[in-house]
Amino acid sequence: MRQATSAVSQGDARSHTKTMTSPLHGGKTPPRFLRDLSRYNPHKIPSSAYNVLTQLSLQYEGSELPRPKKGSCHHKWALKLNQSTLPELDVRPGYSSFYNAAAYCTSCRCHVDLSVDYRGEGPGVLPCPKEDAPLHHFVYQSNAFNGRRAIKDSFNSGQWVDIQHFQCSSLSCSARLTTRFRPPRLTKEWTALLVDPSLIQQRAQKVMEDEPARFEGHSVPSPINVLEDDWMPPRPDAQATTPFTNPVNLLLDDVDKELLVLLDQQPENEKRMAKVYFSSTLASVDFERILGSRGYKKSAASRTVDLTNEDEEHPFYAGLGAIGDFHDDLLSFAYDRQIEYDPQNTPYYLECLQGIAAGRGSEELEVKVAVEASSGKISLKDVREAYQSFGLEFHSEHMEDDNIIGSFQARVADSPKQEAELRRALHVIGQHRSSERIQQIAANSVTTYEQALAWLNAPEDTDDSFLISMYSVKVSENPSNQELARHAIALIAQRRNSNVLRLWLETGRLGEVEMDTGQAYARLGIDDRTVDDDTILQIYSLRAQDTPSQIDELKRALTAIAKSKESHVLQNFLSTGMATSEHSPAQWPVGLGNIGNTCYLNSLLQFYFTIKPLRDLVLNFDNYKMQPEDIASNKKQVGSRRVSPTEIERAQRFMYELQKLFQSMIAVPRAQVVPEQELARLTLISSITEVEKRRQSMLSSDRPTLGYIHGTPIQGPLPPPMPQDTNIDIERSHDGPDGGNNATSHDDEVSSEGTLVDALIPHTETMGDNDFMIVDSDEKQQQQQQQQQILDNKENLPPIKEYFKRPSTPENHLKPLGEASPSRVNEQQQRAEPTRESDTDHEMSMLKENTPSVSFGPPNRAPPPIPPRQKPEEQKKAIQEEVEMGAQQDVGEVIGNVLFQLQCAIKAQSIDESGEQIDQVKNLFFGKLKSYTTNGQGVIRTKEEFNSDIKVDVASGPRDIYSALDGAFDVQEVEVGGSLEPQYTTISQLPPVLQIMVQRAQFDPQTKTTVKSNNHLGLREVIYMDRYVDSSDPELQRRRHECWNWKRELATLQARKLELTQTELGIDIPEVITATGGYLDQLKDIDQDDPIEVKPQLLKDLEQISKEAKVELSTLDEEIKSVTTNINSQFADLRKLPYRLHSVFIHRGRANAGHYWIYIYDFARSMWRKYNDEYVSEVKDPEVEIYGEEKADYRPTPYFLVYIRDELKDQLVDAVCRDIAAEAPLSVPVQMSEEGSSQDTIMVDDDDTQGTEELVRWHSSWAGQGTVDPRATQKDRYPETGRGNGTGQWNSRELYTGDPNIKW
């Protein structure tokens, strides 16, 4: 069974893409195991390291392997004889043998039990060691019982045990090894009372003061007196049989050993004075005895050289599960066992043997390596060299076969004389990757249908017409492959019985081949044929964007699907290139075009657009923005840090870009708009990331050359990727009290941006427009006073030369005109976009007017030429690269960046006691969480802070929304100062818009990668937050504590049920016991002449145990059901704070790839919509699509949730906001930007009063400024932006009124 299990796991591993460094699944010999046990600290395993006991070391490649976590103990084990069952001397174990060695560490006082049980499955007639297996070879057995778990201990409630199971891999040996690791029985607090001199003195003085007569003449005892004389703990029962089984005797024996360790750790001089001598029996000999490794064969060199030094031992020994003093015969045995049990990693094990043989100079091992190589095995060293011969990185885990084959073909073309050597290298790579295709190309032969497909790089479902295209590619790459390629096509034609391919082979002509439906779905990569038309179009668009050269074939696939579905939407798209909608544009939201991995950005923008107060804030941004004079003297604090003027100006650019998009989403007559790349960049990349990118460009050693002086290249940072950046960064100096140069204090300004250049000052008197003077540090000190005025105003300097661009404001963007006509449009364009010459003159005049006159001395050298600027296409490319980089940012980081910029751009409504800005955004999206932490003395500490979302975890398993939220607020133990303290969290201030971040990324310790958890999260239309709010109500506190106790009870019940239901056999314990009884009952009938006697009482006992186990399982189920019901109903009556589900961000894919879309609920129309980039569609069955659970491997899962306070939902949410400008009588067509995105010119007739009354009511309800004259023109009603309130401000404190007990 063990062999079959191993084969299955290896088969699964081979079915996936081969990684360059697979996890090692081999075993360990007893000496290796004991060495690793001495370094095993289960409570101090770093998250980035491997488990030293249960895993082999990481593959060694020349770099240092992970070190044990700081504070880990290198154990020195001493035997606990009264708790051990040791083998008799010179007696081999049998099928009924069981041994146990109990030990404690003489350094850290922890305990370990090492047990070897031969009573398990397998013949067991020839246990190790034996002739063909001189040592056990223990492999880790992964099961639900392994790992660390809490245990009930009335003496110490914080006790736990770490249990690990291992099995000897020899088929004739049934030895099962189990380790049980426990922490010390005496806690840190208790040991302090015994050995801390200050605590001993306090206690002694108090007793002496209370009873002076009794302790007259006594002095304060020392720790060694307390341990040796003053405190005599009880001892185990001397009459009890050994090994001890009574829990009290076990406890007393453990405590006794720990006290001896504490005594031995006292200063040597005190121990000599007290005549204390401590001697323990080392457990190493008995460990070796029960593991059968006593007296194993060692290397001859180990007799004169210490080969057991762990620091000197090469990692290759650990890879083989061996240690450095092994004889060559044992190393050969260890290698054979590793490759037999873990054949997938044979190359690494062979490299280990190869390296050890070379290091030892062992002729015997060198012969072993040569024999293995002659049998076709390869070492990892050979694989690395093969990759290097093609100039490829060995650790590129996601490298495709095509990349390797392409590199091979390129090298062969460059060096044809080395083709034989290169083919050998290619064969090594193909063998290592288990790639039949690579090995076939290395052999340069095609004989079967499968080989023909692999040689052409064609999947099984490739249609005949595309095979011819692949043939052409192969021949064009290497004309000498023509005959081989035709032979491959002939093999495929014969296997498929394809007349099309036969006709092509005979005539060279290929007729039109219609793709069948199955091939069409496969070609687009769609597994689920029930997906809607919008999703099909979305996938088609992505495929067409990624592989434009295959557009014809993709259209054939889409045509086949459209025909099979009889879809008018798909057929219309194929004929017109546009997806039609059954909804009127005036009554339906617009989609947002994907500009390159921006599906999450589009979902986020759609969500923000539906939040009415935020949309009004953006559309009327000029009424809320910080003014220039406020920015210059700003002390703004957002997110608990100061914000620099540069960040404020950047945030305002972001607001204007967002405003422009929102205007287009309201007014365009089309079904979709495309966000600007600049908006995507500002949204996806934070100011800190942007500055760091520029700083790295300066520090990079391969910066581009900016020009030459006397033939010497001048290097510098890349120009800013965004042409709108108008800031000149100049390092600010401040004179301290001593006249020295001190750094800027936090009280002055705390900025997240660093200085990029030292000084770049335009010389306005003696220099021309194109000249600049670079100021030395010496000159700067002389000119400091003259420059101070410029330095203090550096953020407001006018832009220089080609970096100048007007800020994106409504004043210089095209805005609605009352009389739409081509002449009016031309006049407006001329005013908003002056010619380049006039721009240059204007900006230079502004520079001279606004820059104080500074007289610099004549330069001591000629000024350098102006560095070349980026060309427009280079700037555009740089922005696109930043957008693509930003698209990979964490979801939480992007949301945090958006909220941060929204707050930075607007002025504060108030400032709280910590200096934090309070504004419309803070009141809308931010709540406050308050944590309560109780220390060991019962003192409660509280901490309250703003949070924009609640983070919930679904990594451990599927759960509903309440269970997930409970995980964020339930009591849990946190480590504070080395001790665990209980902590729970409440909500002290609920936001109107409640955001929930679903954390799905988790680290896989096996693959050392981040993976996504696809566990289901059960959503609810309405959730009630009463149970989580901060309250002094004793009844609510009682309910919480009662619920926490139930959850602890539930965890215990579920753990016990797991023990009874999960076995290696796949059946539960009652069934295992019943099957065992049935097997024993049949033994008497196996051999009538020599029957095996089984006592009838044993069979009755097994039957009774099985019944009891069944009853226990049934009882567990009832108790689990009862406790679960109690938990679910504990807060069911608390319904004063309802929140309704508004938005669900969905992700389908893996941790590092996939696609986002969003579902948004329209409260006004009682419907869900799906916003999938360009496509917005109605959700027909939300119970299945949104609330249901899909079973696919990469199923769509919620990543971010938004709930809206129920009584405010109509005020906060407006899912459809359209006012199409094309409906105006004299409107002209929309003018698109070069990219055809969202720079739209919106024309609205001044006299158009259609829908005025409704707009007035909508406007008045938010403006709070009374009524608006219905006769006013649209331009008058919506100045600057053409939308929303032009003058008033909505008051969040007045708007968000509700439960008086909750702060808003």
Side-chain angles (χ1 to χ4, degrees):
M1 181 177 295
R2 297 194 295 274
Q3 191 176 32
T5 304
S6 174
V8 170
S9 63
Q10 293 151 12
D12 290 343
R14 286 193 294 269
S15 67
H16 292 80
T17 302
K18 175 79 174 181
T19 59
M20 298 300 100
T21 54
S22 302
L24 299 176
H25 299 293
K28 298 180 181 182
T29 60
R32 177 80 254 168
F33 181 88
L34 290 177
R35 176 166 296 181
D36 292 342
L37 181 66
S38 69
R39 296 186 295 130
Y40 183 52
N41 293 269
H43 54 303
K44 290 183 179 294
I45 298 177
S47 59
S48 60
Y50 63 94
N51 187 312
V52 69
L53 186 67
T54 64
Q55 297 174 288
L56 290 174
S57 65
L58 304 178
Q59 294 191 16
Y60 175 74
E61 298 174 5
S63 59
E64 185 178 0
L65 294 176
R67 291 280 183 180
K69 191 173 181 181
K70 186 176 181 181
S72 298
C73 179
H74 194 152
H75 305 298
K76 298 183 175 103
W77 300 114
L79 187 69
K80 294 188 291 186
L81 185 60
N82 289 335
Q83 300 182 34
S84 301
T85 303
L86 302 176
E88 299 180 12
L89 294 175
D90 300 326
V91 175
R92 288 183 59 83
Y95 65 89
S96 61
S97 298
F98 173 83
Y99 306 131
N100 180 72
Y104 64 98
C105 177
T106 58
S107 296
C108 69
R109 299 182 289 110
C110 65
H111 303 265
V112 70
D113 283 81
L114 208 64
S115 61
V116 181
D117 191 351
Y118 292 89
R119 299 171 297 183
E121 61 181 20
V125 294
L126 200 59
C128 302
K130 51 196 173 187
E131 183 177 356
D132 61 337
L135 291 172
H136 286 294
H137 181 253
F138 289 114
V139 293
Y140 179 61
Q141 299 293 294
S142 178
N143 59 54
F145 304 106
N146 286 343
R148 176 177 165 180
R149 68 185 64 184
I151 57 176
K152 292 183 178 180
D153 190 331
S154 58
F155 181 69
N156 181 357
S157 60
Q159 280 287 300
W160 50 264
V161 62
D162 179 85
I163 303 176
Q164 306 294 347
H165 295 85
F166 304 84
Q167 176 79 51
C168 182
S169 63
S170 174
L171 294 178
S172 62
C173 179
S174 60
R176 289 179 298 160
L177 171 63
T178 303
T179 63
R180 293 175 177 84
F181 191 104
R182 290 184 289 107
R185 296 274 197 165
L186 299 176
T187 66
K188 292 182 180 179
E189 292 78 8
W190 297 344
T191 56
L193 294 175
L194 298 172
V195 300
D196 188 330
S198 62
L199 293 179
I200 293 174
Q201 183 177 12
Q202 292 176 11
R203 294 166 57 206
Q205 289 178 346
K206 185 176 185 306
V207 172
M208 292 177 181
E209 291 173 358
D210 293 342
E211 299 181 66
R214 179 183 175 187
F215 293 98
E216 182 179 1
H218 285 255
S219 62
V220 175
S222 66
I224 200 166
N225 298 136
V226 174
L227 292 168
E228 180 68 9
D229 302 323
D230 294 351
W231 182 60
M232 296 297 295
R235 303 287 181 177
D237 183 3
Q239 304 301 320
T241 58
T242 58
F244 291 151
T245 56
N246 184 282
V248 175
N249 284 334
L250 292 172
L251 168 66
L252 295 177
D253 194 37
D254 287 349
V255 172
D256 181 59
K257 299 299 185 292
E258 291 184 30
L259 290 174
L260 290 176
V261 173
L262 293 175
L263 191 63
D264 186 57
Q265 291 173 349
Q266 300 308 306
E268 290 295 331
N269 59 335
E270 294 185 15
K271 289 193 293 183
R272 283 195 299 269
M273 293 178 61
K275 297 181 180 182
V276 171
Y277 304 101
F278 171 66
S279 175
S280 60
T281 304
L282 295 181
S284 56
V285 172
D286 294 291
F287 279 175
E288 291 176 353
R289 288 180 59 208
I290 69 171
L291 294 179
S293 61
R294 184 70 177 158
Y296 63 87
K297 193 174 181 181
K298 298 183 180 181
S299 167
S302 67
R303 301 170 189 168
T304 57
V305 180
D306 182 11
L307 299 180
T308 62
N309 189 339
E310 297 181 35
D311 295 331
E312 300 296 331
E313 182 183 81
H314 197 281
F316 281 160
Y317 288 101
L320 294 180
I323 62 174
D325 66 350
F326 268 27
H327 190 275
D328 290 349
D329 292 343
L330 284 184
L331 287 172
S332 181
F333 159 75
Y335 165 78
D336 290 337
R337 297 305 299 140
Q338 296 291 59
I339 65 172
E340 180 179 349
Y341 192 81
D342 186 20
Q344 181 181 358
N345 287 298
T346 295
Y348 178 67
Y349 298 131
L350 183 55
E351 182 185 21
C352 292
L353 188 66
Q354 193 178 35
I356 294 173
R360 286 189 168 194
S362 169
E363 182 178 352
E364 180 181 346
L365 293 181
E366 293 283 5
V367 172
K368 176 78 171 180
V369 171
V371 171
E372 293 297 286
S374 65
S375 66
K377 296 185 179 69
I378 57 173
S379 75
L380 216 56
K381 178 182 177 183
D382 300 328
V383 178
R384 291 193 193 93
E385 292 174 351
Y387 275 95
Q388 291 172 1
S389 65
F390 297 125
L392 299 174
E393 289 290 337
F394 172 63
H395 283 295
S396 298
E397 296 187 2
H398 302 291
M399 184 180 298
E400 301 291 339
D401 288 356
D402 288 341
N403 303 112
I404 299 171
I405 295 170
S407 298
F408 160 75
Q409 293 170 343
R411 288 297 174 97
V412 170
D414 293 340
S415 307
K417 293 184 179 180
Q418 300 179 6
E419 181 174 355
E421 181 181 346
L422 292 171
R423 287 193 182 277
R424 281 194 296 272
L426 186 66
H427 178 75
V428 169
I429 294 175
Q431 183 177 349
H432 180 248
R433 294 171 63 93
S434 301
S435 172
E436 184 179 351
R437 177 166 169 252
I438 290 180
Q439 295 184 62
Q440 290 163 2
I441 293 177
N444 201 27
S445 62
V446 176
T447 58
T448 66
Y449 169 72
E450 290 76 13
Q451 291 177 355
L453 288 173
W455 191 84
L456 289 171
N457 193 24
E460 172 71 26
D461 56 359
T462 305
D463 62 83
D464 294 345
S465 62
F466 196 64
L467 285 173
I468 305 306
S469 300
M470 293 181 164
Y471 164 89
S472 302
V473 171
K474 284 290 184 182
V475 174
S476 64
E477 290 175 349
N478 189 353
S480 63
N481 286 332
Q482 183 172 3
E483 286 302 320
L484 190 60
R486 287 185 63 84
H487 179 59
I489 294 294
L491 287 172
I492 297 172
Q494 180 180 2
R495 174 67 174 271
R496 292 185 176 183
N497 194 23
S498 170
N499 293 326
V500 172
L501 294 180
R502 291 195 184 102
L503 176 65
W504 179 84
L505 287 169
E506 296 172 0
T507 65
R509 291 183 290 104
L510 183 67
E512 181 68 25
V513 181
E514 182 176 328
M515 190 180 295
D516 65 42
T517 306
Q519 290 177 331
Y521 277 104
R523 183 64 189 86
L524 291 180
I526 300 175
D527 298 327
D528 182 7
R529 299 193 185 187
T530 63
V531 297
D532 55 36
D533 293 343
D534 289 343
T535 302
I536 294 174
L537 286 176
Q538 176 70 23
I539 295 173
Y540 168 83
S541 300
L542 292 174
R543 298 283 184 268
Q545 181 180 354
D546 293 341
T547 55
S549 61
Q550 300 176 16
I551 190 68
D552 292 336
E553 185 187 359
L554 293 172
K555 283 185 177 179
R556 290 178 54 223
L558 188 62
T559 301
I561 295 174
K563 182 178 179 181
S564 67
K565 295 186 67 175
E566 298 182 354
S567 169
H568 297 293
V569 173
L570 299 182
Q571 291 171 355
N572 182 76
F573 177 83
L574 287 165
S575 59
T576 66
M578 297 180 62
T580 59
S581 173
E582 58 182 312
H583 306 282
S584 168
Q587 301 297 325
W588 201 252
V590 298
L592 296 178
N594 193 312
I595 58 176
N597 294 330
T598 57
C599 51
Y600 176 74
L601 169 67
N602 290 341
S603 300
L604 192 62
L605 294 173
Q606 292 282 18
F607 157 59
Y608 285 136
F609 183 78
T610 63
I611 303 300
K612 189 190 301 183
L614 178 63
R615 186 176 65 219
D616 290 344
L617 176 69
V618 172
L619 292 173
N620 299 283
F621 171 55
D622 283 345
N623 296 329
Y624 304 99
K625 65 181 283 191
M626 285 195 70
Q627 300 305 316
E629 58 272 16
D630 297 327
I631 296 176
S633 60
N634 174 53
K635 300 297 182 183
K636 179 189 284 279
Q637 179 176 310
V638 176
S640 300
R641 73 173 179 85
R642 291 283 176 85
V643 181
S644 71
T646 302
E647 288 179 303
I648 297 174
E649 293 171 1
R650 182 187 194 272
Q652 292 186 349
R653 289 202 308 274
F654 163 74
M655 287 291 279
Y656 281 122
E657 291 292 336
L658 187 61
Q659 181 186 80
K660 186 166 56 175
L661 175 68
F662 280 8
Q663 290 172 344
S664 297
M665 293 173 70
I666 293 172
V668 295
R670 303 184 308 279
Q672 69 175 49
V673 296
V674 182
E676 295 266 3
Q677 282 190 346
E678 176 65 2
L679 173 61
R681 188 185 70 81
L682 292 171
T683 304
L684 297 172
I685 299 180
S686 68
S687 58
I688 297 177
T689 304
E690 181 180 83
V691 170
E692 183 60 26
K693 185 174 184 291
R694 295 189 200 170
R695 182 179 291 111
Q696 291 300 325
S697 72
M698 286 194 66
L699 299 176
S700 175
S701 60
D702 54 352
R703 298 195 299 271
T705 300
L706 300 183
Y708 292 83
I709 298 179
H710 304 302
T712 302
I714 304 300
Q715 292 186 327
L718 287 171
M722 51 175 191
Q724 294 89 336
D725 190 358
T726 64
N727 298 304
I728 303 173
D729 293 321
I730 303 174
E731 188 171 1
R732 186 186 299 269
S733 301
H734 292 273
D735 292 333
D738 56 355
N741 195 8
N742 298 332
T744 305
S745 71
H746 285 274
D747 291 335
D748 284 334
E749 177 180 9
V750 180
S751 171
S752 66
E753 297 197 12
T755 302
L756 301 184
V757 296
D758 206 23
L760 186 59
I761 311 297
H763 197 303
T764 61
E765 294 182 359
T766 62
M767 291 181 163
D769 290 347
N770 295 331
D771 295 331
F772 290 83
M773 182 175 73
I774 299 179
V775 182
D776 286 338
S777 59
D778 294 338
E779 296 169 340
K780 184 167 59 179
Q781 185 175 1
Q782 299 171 4
Q783 301 157 357
Q784 184 175 7
Q785 185 176 0
Q786 295 172 314
Q787 296 179 17
Q788 192 62 46
Q789 185 177 358
I790 297 176
L791 293 172
D792 290 341
N793 197 33
K794 67 170 187 174
E795 304 294 352
N796 297 317
L797 281 176
I800 295 178
K801 204 61 181 175
E802 294 180 359
Y803 278 169
F804 177 78
K805 182 175 181 180
R806 240 181 254 271
S808 176
T809 65
E811 285 80 1
N812 62 23
H813 275 283
L814 302 183
K815 53 191 177 183
L817 300 177
E819 299 174 5
S821 67
S823 61
R824 292 292 300 277
V825 174
N826 293 335
E827 290 172 5
Q828 191 179 39
Q829 287 177 329
Q830 290 169 5
R831 290 195 301 269
E833 299 179 3
T835 62
R836 180 167 181 171
E837 290 77 6
S838 62
D839 267 350
T840 303
D841 296 340
H842 175 67
E843 70 192 58
M844 293 310 298
S845 65
M846 287 177 61
L847 177 62
K848 294 180 180 181
E849 291 172 5
N850 296 326
T851 304
S853 176
V854 181
S855 176
F856 302 102
N860 56 9
R861 59 185 181 276
I866 297 177
R869 306 297 188 188
Q870 279 185 315
K871 298 178 181 179
E873 57 270 19
E874 293 174 346
Q875 293 176 335
K876 179 179 177 181
K877 181 180 179 182
I879 293 176
Q880 175 63 27
E881 290 174 352
E882 285 198 340
V883 170
E884 292 175 357
M885 179 186 72
Q888 307 305 320
Q889 299 299 307
D890 179 76
V891 169
E893 293 176 357
V894 176
I895 294 176
N897 181 41
V898 171
L899 295 177
F900 176 74
Q901 292 192 99
L902 290 172
Q903 289 190 267
C904 286
I906 62 178
K907 53 193 174 186
Q909 289 182 315
S910 62
I911 304 295
D912 71 2
E913 61 277 2
S914 66
E916 182 76 6
Q917 170 174 306
I918 306 300
D919 50 44
Q920 292 87 345
V921 175
K922 182 79 75 176
N923 289 325
L924 194 58
F925 293 101
F926 285 77
K928 282 188 177 181
L929 297 183
K930 189 173 184 180
S931 62
Y932 293 81
T933 308
T934 307
N935 64 14
Q937 289 71 41
V939 178
I940 300 177
R941 303 186 307 276
T942 63
K943 181 180 179 181
E944 186 178 46
E945 56 188 356
F946 281 108
N947 274 277
S948 62
D949 59 53
I950 299 173
K951 293 176 175 59
V952 300
D953 183 19
V954 295
S956 59
R959 58 188 60 187
D960 74 344
I961 184 64
Y962 278 127
S963 298
L965 286 170
D966 288 349
F969 297 100
D970 281 351
V971 67
Q972 56 185 330
E973 289 189 331
V974 296
E975 186 172 351
V976 179
S979 61
L980 297 178
E981 298 179 355
Q983 180 187 88
Y984 70 93
T985 305
T986 62
I987 304 177
S988 58
Q989 180 175 317
L990 275 165
V993 180
L994 181 66
Q995 302 180 124
I996 301 174
M997 174 73 71
V998 185
Q999 296 180 313
R1000 294 187 174 274
Q1002 57 188 118
F1003 180 74
D1004 186 348
Q1006 297 293 331
T1007 62
K1008 309 299 180 186
T1009 58
T1010 300
V1011 297
K1012 175 194 171 186
S1013 168
N1014 286 318
N1015 289 324
H1016 178 64
L1017 177 62
L1019 304 180
R1020 299 195 182 198
E1021 180 182 353
V1022 181
I1023 59 175
Y1024 299 91
M1025 302 300 292
D1026 308 62
R1027 66 186 71 181
Y1028 305 117
V1029 298
D1030 191 54
S1031 174
S1032 58
D1033 180 9
E1035 172 60 19
L1036 181 58
Q1037 295 287 356
R1038 184 197 64 77
R1039 290 196 192 189
R1040 284 175 178 164
H1041 284 82
E1042 188 175 36
C1043 192
W1044 295 338
N1045 290 332
W1046 284 335
K1047 289 179 180 180
R1048 294 189 190 98
E1049 181 183 355
L1050 180 62
T1052 303
L1053 294 172
Q1054 290 173 335
R1056 177 55 181 165
K1057 181 179 179 180
L1058 199 64
E1059 293 175 351
L1060 293 177
T1061 55
Q1062 287 197 1
T1063 66
E1064 295 180 359
L1065 301 176
I1067 57 178
D1068 61 26
I1069 292 297
E1071 292 175 334
V1072 170
I1073 297 173
T1074 301
T1076 302
Y1079 173 76
L1080 294 176
D1081 190 37
Q1082 296 174 1
L1083 291 179
K1084 63 179 182 296
D1085 301 327
I1086 294 178
D1087 190 346
Q1088 298 292 340
D1089 297 331
D1090 187 15
I1092 299 175
E1093 182 181 359
V1094 178
K1095 296 181 179 180
Q1097 186 60 41
L1098 175 60
L1099 298 178
K1100 292 181 180 179
D1101 291 344
L1102 289 176
E1103 183 179 1
Q1104 180 62 29
I1105 294 172
S1106 177
K1107 290 180 180 178
E1108 292 175 356
K1110 289 180 180 178
V1111 171
E1112 184 180 2
L1113 268 177
S1114 177
T1115 304
L1116 284 172
D1117 287 334
E1118 293 177 0
E1119 292 179 353
I1120 289 173
K1121 183 178 179 181
S1122 174
V1123 174
T1124 303
T1125 301
N1126 290 339
I1127 294 172
N1128 293 337
S1129 60
Q1130 180 73 340
F1131 304 100
D1133 60 321
L1134 302 182
R1135 293 172 171 258
K1136 293 182 180 180
L1137 298 174
Y1139 277 76
R1140 289 195 173 271
L1141 186 61
H1142 168 256
S1143 300
V1144 182
F1145 289 72
I1146 296 291
H1147 177 266
R1148 180 198 288 270
R1150 298 180 292 273
N1152 57 351
H1155 177 62
Y1156 281 99
W1157 66 87
I1158 185 173
Y1159 296 105
I1160 298 179
Y1161 190 70
D1162 187 339
F1163 293 108
R1165 297 165 181 81
S1166 301
M1167 64 184 298
W1168 281 98
R1169 294 185 183 89
K1170 177 181 180 180
Y1171 297 73
N1172 193 350
D1173 284 341
E1174 298 94 338
Y1175 310 106
V1176 182
S1177 57
E1178 182 180 355
V1179 178
K1180 302 297 184 183
D1181 191 354
E1183 290 299 324
V1184 174
E1185 188 169 345
I1186 299 175
Y1187 297 100
E1189 179 181 5
E1190 190 175 317
K1191 299 297 183 181
D1193 289 339
Y1194 298 113
R1195 53 187 175 272
T1197 51
Y1199 243 90
F1200 194 76
L1201 312 173
V1202 180
Y1203 280 84
I1204 302 292
R1205 183 66 185 263
D1206 186 52
E1207 65 264 28
L1208 301 174
K1209 62 181 183 298
D1210 296 330
Q1211 303 171 31
L1212 295 176
V1213 176
D1214 183 23
V1216 180
C1217 181
R1218 300 299 305 274
D1219 186 7
I1220 297 178
E1223 293 178 355
L1226 298 176
S1227 61
V1228 295
V1230 174
Q1231 295 186 355
M1232 298 298 292
S1233 66
E1234 255 185 25
E1235 301 163 4
S1237 58
S1238 62
Q1239 292 183 355
D1240 304 326
T1241 306
I1242 307 169
M1243 311 302 171
V1244 182
D1245 196 310
D1246 246 353
D1247 296 328
D1248 178 20
T1249 58
Q1250 182 177 2
T1252 296
E1253 296 294 339
E1254 181 181 355
L1255 290 172
V1256 167
R1257 288 194 299 273
W1258 173 78
H1259 169 80
S1260 300
S1261 66
W1262 287 103
Q1265 302 295 320
T1267 60
V1268 177
D1269 185 358
R1271 295 169 297 178
T1273 63
Q1274 185 165 346
K1275 182 177 179 182
D1276 292 332
R1277 292 197 306 271
Y1278 309 120
E1280 305 302 340
T1281 62
R1283 296 289 179 270
N1285 176 14
T1287 57
Q1289 297 182 3
W1290 52 274
N1291 187 315
S1292 61
R1293 297 292 180 181
E1294 295 173 357
L1295 173 62
Y1296 302 128
T1297 56
D1299 193 325
N1301 297 321
I1302 302 300
K1303 296 184 290 184
W1304 295 109

